[in-house]
């Protein structure tokens, strides 16, 4: 499909950009120019929020039956399903995600997200009578208002749809500011939204940088900000929202621990970590980048990990065989390389990969933003490579003594997003999982469900996405008391 790279989708209409500012979109594989995309500025954001505000305050969208909104969102889900391969190809070409992952874990996950949200909206009691200590009252759920959504580039469609779908189902209007590092997939989604035809003003999708993001966050017309990105930017956004008392949810970084217990089947474990630790080239917020290994089996764990990592197929993200592609851009590659040097400087031992091996000497990965998949051994949990989010194919293996020590180390992090436990003993896994201060824990696997709450503790953010809990983030509660019981019954219906 031809993407409208010189326009923004504002309130459902394709609108020429107000300036000639552009993003040059380059392939992270070989640097060739894929496209040029209009960059939204603060005036574009202002226009988008203006029409969203009118649509919310005066339009039908928040007031129509929830089932009618669900029908339109359902049509968008259907339309989406017919372009999965095109979407997967676009994502891989612009952010370097291996095409096998883009098919499964990027574009392929979006229909599941839609289903989770549609089911949650269908089950939502938008108004319900509640027996209280002061008699029967009415609990009403209504849209939070105009939403400003700001997203990262690593799983760009998941991040947008996890905000767009619940916002629309709840009756919000929404302005999405997509990442300048993954603009093309956002434009394809905008094309689908345009085709489905939401009421005027309800949906805007623009691509912009930090300035556009700041304008959206601080805009007086925005009732809720939904952000996914780094903890540093999340902190800034949450503080602006705090000052303005704008509702906000922030989904941020992670440094999740994979805890290998002493009874684990190592072959199965390292096979599982190929995904859990290295998914999306390690550019995943919930990647298990701290591997906690029992001291009694530490050398075996490192050896098994090295053997596994040495077989990764590194190369062109659009090649079906590729398991590790390039990082998204040079800035990200430089950042990861810097962490490889930091690790060595701190005394971590390069078991495979590392700063010397980065930028492979031959093969398809000689050009582009490649970093050799790396395992650091002899890592102390206090080291920067164990505490800071690297966002690349780099794991740190940390020894521990006993399950209590493993839990202590796993929790010794400013983050608390994901985690996994690898063991033959389900009871030990259950007991350990209950000690972890983190949002999502897999046992002998890692793959959160698209209808269970996704999000984390501490610096990993505030709020949850996906399914019923994700939908609740776009809902405000009103209690109405003093109504006669027959009126409460009369107005209690599943749609507002
Ligand atoms: P980032 O914080 O640099 O940027 C995220 C978005 O915020 C982009 O759209 C960017 O243009 C915008 N932005 C930048 N500065 C802003 C500001 N001051 N005000 C408003 N908007 C601003 O993050 P990134 O590099 O795009 O993404 C990587 C980060 O995202 C990692 O830390 C990763 O862990 C995190 N992430 C978290 C989740 C999750 O669900 N918890 C999922 C994916 C990615």
């Amino acid at each position: 499909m031809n993407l409208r790279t010189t326009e923004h989708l504002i309130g459902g209409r394709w609108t020429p950009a107000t300036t000639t500012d552009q993003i040059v979109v380059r392939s992270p594989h070989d640097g060739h120019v894929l496209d040029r995309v209009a960059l939204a500025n603060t005036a574009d954001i202002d226009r988008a929020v203006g029409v969203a505000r009118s649509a919310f305050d005066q339009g039908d969208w928040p007031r129509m039956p929830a089932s009618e909104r669900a029908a339109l969102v359902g049509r968008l889900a259907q339309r989406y399903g017919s372009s999965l391969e095109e979407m997967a190809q676009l994502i891989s070409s612009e952010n370097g995600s291996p095409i096998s992952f883009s098919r499964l874990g990027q574009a392929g996950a979006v229909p599941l997200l839609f289903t989770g949200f549609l089911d949650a909206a269908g089950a939502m009691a938008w108004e319900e009578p509640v027996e209280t200590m002061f008699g029967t009252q009415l609990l009403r759920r209504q849209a939070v208002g105009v939403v400003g959504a700001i997203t990262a580039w690593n799983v760009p469609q998941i991040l947008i749809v996890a905000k767009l779908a619940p916002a629309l189902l709840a009756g919000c209007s929404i302005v999405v500011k997509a990442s300048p590092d993954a603009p093309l997939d956002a434009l394809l989604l905008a094309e689908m939204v345009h085709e489905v035809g939401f009421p005027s003003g309800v949906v805007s999708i623009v691509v912009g940088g930090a300035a556009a993001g700041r304008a959206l966050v601080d805009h007086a017309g925005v009732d809720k900000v939904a952000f996914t990105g780094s903890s540093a930017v999340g902190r800034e956004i949450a503080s602006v929202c705090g000052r303005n008392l704008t509702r906000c949810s922030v989904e941020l970084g992670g440094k999740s621990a994979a805890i290998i217990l002493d009874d684990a089947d190592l072959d199965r474990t390292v096979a599982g970590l190929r995904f859990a630790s290295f998914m999306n080239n390690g550019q995943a917020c919930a990647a298990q980048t701290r591997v906690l290994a029992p001291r009694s089996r530490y050398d075996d764990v490192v050896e098994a990990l090295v053997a596994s990592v040495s077989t990764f197929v590194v190369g062109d993200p659009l090649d079906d065989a590729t398991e590790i592609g390039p990082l998204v851009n040079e800035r990200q590659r430089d950042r990861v390389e810097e962490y490889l040097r930091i690790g060595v400087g701190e005394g971590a031992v390069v078991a495979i990969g590392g700063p010397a091996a980065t930028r492979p000497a031959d093969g398809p990965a000689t050009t582009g933003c490649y970093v050799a998949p790396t395992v650091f051994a002899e890592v102390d949990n206090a080291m920067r490579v164990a505490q800071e989010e690297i966002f690349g194919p780099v794991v740190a293996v940390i020894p521990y003594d006993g399950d209590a020590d493993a839990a202590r180390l796993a929790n010794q992090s400013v983050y608390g997003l994901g985690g996994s436990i690898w063991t033959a003993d389900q009871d030990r896994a259950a007991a350990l999982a209950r000690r972890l201060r983190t949002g999502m824990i897999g046992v002998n696997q890692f793959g959160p469900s698209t209808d269970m709450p996704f999000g984390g503790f501490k610096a990993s953010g505030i709020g949850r996405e996906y399914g019923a809990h994700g939908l609740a983030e776009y809902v405000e509660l009103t209690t109405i008391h003093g109504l006669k019981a027959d009126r409460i019954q009369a107005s209690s219906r599943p749609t507002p």
Side-chain angles (χ1 to χ4, degrees):
M1 175 177 290
N2 282 337
L3 300 176
R4 304 201 207 198
T5 52
T6 59
E7 293 169 87
H8 305 302
L9 188 75
I10 298 209
R13 291 215 177 100
W14 284 109
T15 311
T18 47
T19 71
T20 54
D21 294 346
Q22 286 184 326
I23 307 156
V24 179
V25 192
R26 287 183 188 279
S27 156
H29 171 58
D30 59 13
H32 85 269
V33 174
L34 295 167
D35 222 325
R36 290 183 161 77
V37 171
L39 189 71
N41 64 10
T42 54
D44 298 310
I45 294 290
D46 198 43
R47 275 194 301 172
V49 175
V51 295
R53 191 75 257 165
S54 305
F56 188 79
D57 292 339
Q58 287 126 39
D60 293 338
W61 184 250
R63 282 160 278 277
M64 70 173 56
S67 57
E68 288 181 26
R69 290 195 298 268
L72 262 188
V73 174
R75 272 174 49 199
L76 178 60
Q78 218 170 21
R79 172 65 190 82
Y80 201 99
S82 66
S83 292
L84 293 182
E85 180 60 21
E86 185 181 4
M87 187 60 92
Q89 297 271 344
L90 264 186
I91 293 171
S92 285
S93 65
E94 66 184 347
N95 80 356
S97 188
I99 187 68
S100 55
F101 182 75
S102 284
R103 288 187 181 123
L104 185 76
Q106 302 257 21
V110 168
L112 303 175
L113 278 180
F114 270 120
T115 302
F117 286 123
L118 283 161
D119 288 350
M124 175 79 86
W126 297 97
E127 291 192 355
E128 63 176 321
V130 178
E131 294 310 320
T132 79
M133 61 177 79
F134 294 113
T136 308
Q137 299 191 0
L138 185 65
L139 176 58
R140 175 174 159 75
R141 296 184 172 85
Q142 57 182 300
V144 69
V146 173
V147 173
I150 299 175
T151 51
W153 47 265
N154 62 325
V155 281
Q157 284 294 298
I158 292 177
L159 303 182
I160 295 175
V161 172
K163 298 165 182 58
L164 179 72
L168 291 176
L169 287 165
C172 302
S173 44
I174 180 167
V175 178
V176 176
K177 189 216 71 72
S179 168
D181 295 312
L184 301 178
D185 63 280
L187 290 181
L188 178 55
L189 176 64
E191 199 60 61
M192 297 181 200
V193 165
H194 182 252
E195 268 178 52
V196 167
F198 287 84
S200 175
V202 169
V203 187
S204 295
I205 299 181
V206 305
V207 176
R214 281 198 187 93
L216 187 55
V217 170
D218 207 13
H219 202 295
V222 170
D223 298 302
K224 176 194 162 76
V225 171
F227 171 76
T228 300
S230 61
S231 298
V233 172
R235 213 168 247 124
E236 183 183 328
I237 287 176
S239 61
V240 173
C241 289
R243 193 184 65 222
N244 295 346
L245 292 179
T246 305
R247 275 90 185 104
C248 83
S249 47
V250 288
E251 300 288 340
L252 311 175
K255 190 80 186 180
S256 300
I259 305 175
I260 303 177
L261 297 187
D262 52 13
D263 64 355
D265 174 334
L266 272 193
D267 289 341
R268 282 188 53 200
T269 300
V270 295
L273 293 184
R274 282 175 89 82
F275 179 78
S277 301
F278 292 94
M279 65 176 118
N280 205 26
N281 312 330
Q283 298 174 133
C285 52
Q288 324 279 292
T289 50
R290 285 186 300 150
V291 175
L292 302 189
R295 204 177 296 276
S296 59
R297 297 187 75 190
Y298 186 83
D299 292 344
D300 295 343
V301 168
V302 172
E303 194 179 312
L305 266 174
V306 167
S308 171
V309 166
S310 68
T311 64
F312 268 134
V313 179
V314 179
D316 186 346
L318 293 173
D319 187 329
D320 283 354
T322 293
E323 293 171 286
I324 302 278
L327 301 187
V328 65
N329 52 32
E330 289 180 1
R331 180 170 33 92
Q332 186 64 15
R333 181 196 57 195
D334 293 349
R335 182 186 135 88
V336 173
E337 285 183 348
E338 176 63 13
Y339 270 108
L340 297 182
R341 289 189 287 272
I342 288 170
V344 171
E346 289 179 304
V349 172
V350 174
I352 187 169
T358 202
R359 305 195 188 182
D362 53 30
T366 47
T367 55
C369 304
Y370 289 88
V371 168
T374 294
V375 175
F376 275 128
E378 307 303 326
V379 177
D380 185 287
N381 197 49
M383 288 180 183
R384 287 183 65 190
V385 288
Q387 286 297 316
E388 297 175 18
E389 186 183 52
I390 298 175
F391 227 54
V394 182
V395 300
V397 192
I398 301 158
Y400 71 85
D401 299 292
D403 293 11
D405 194 37
R408 180 184 66 82
L409 289 171
N411 289 334
Q412 209 172 71
S413 168
V414 295
Y415 298 111
L417 188 56
S420 57
I421 299 166
W422 305 80
T423 175
D425 185 335
Q426 289 276 312
D427 291 334
R428 260 176 97 189
L432 186 52
R434 291 193 174 97
R435 301 171 84 145
L436 302 184
R437 305 269 303 156
T438 190
M440 297 160 285
I441 303 163
V443 176
N444 295 323
Q445 60 172 331
F446 189 77
S449 175
T450 45
D451 57 358
M452 284 288 276
F454 188 105
F457 290 40
K458 302 182 271 182
S460 290
I462 301 171
R464 292 293 184 273
E465 295 197 299
Y466 301 3
H469 294 86
L471 178 60
E473 302 269 344
Y474 296 85
V475 168
E476 285 276 20
L477 299 175
T478 304
T479 61
I480 303 175
H481 56 274
L483 276 181
K484 298 263 184 304
D486 58 335
R487 298 294 150 61
I488 291 177
Q489 296 309 328
S491 56
S492 296
R493 54 198 167 91
T495 55

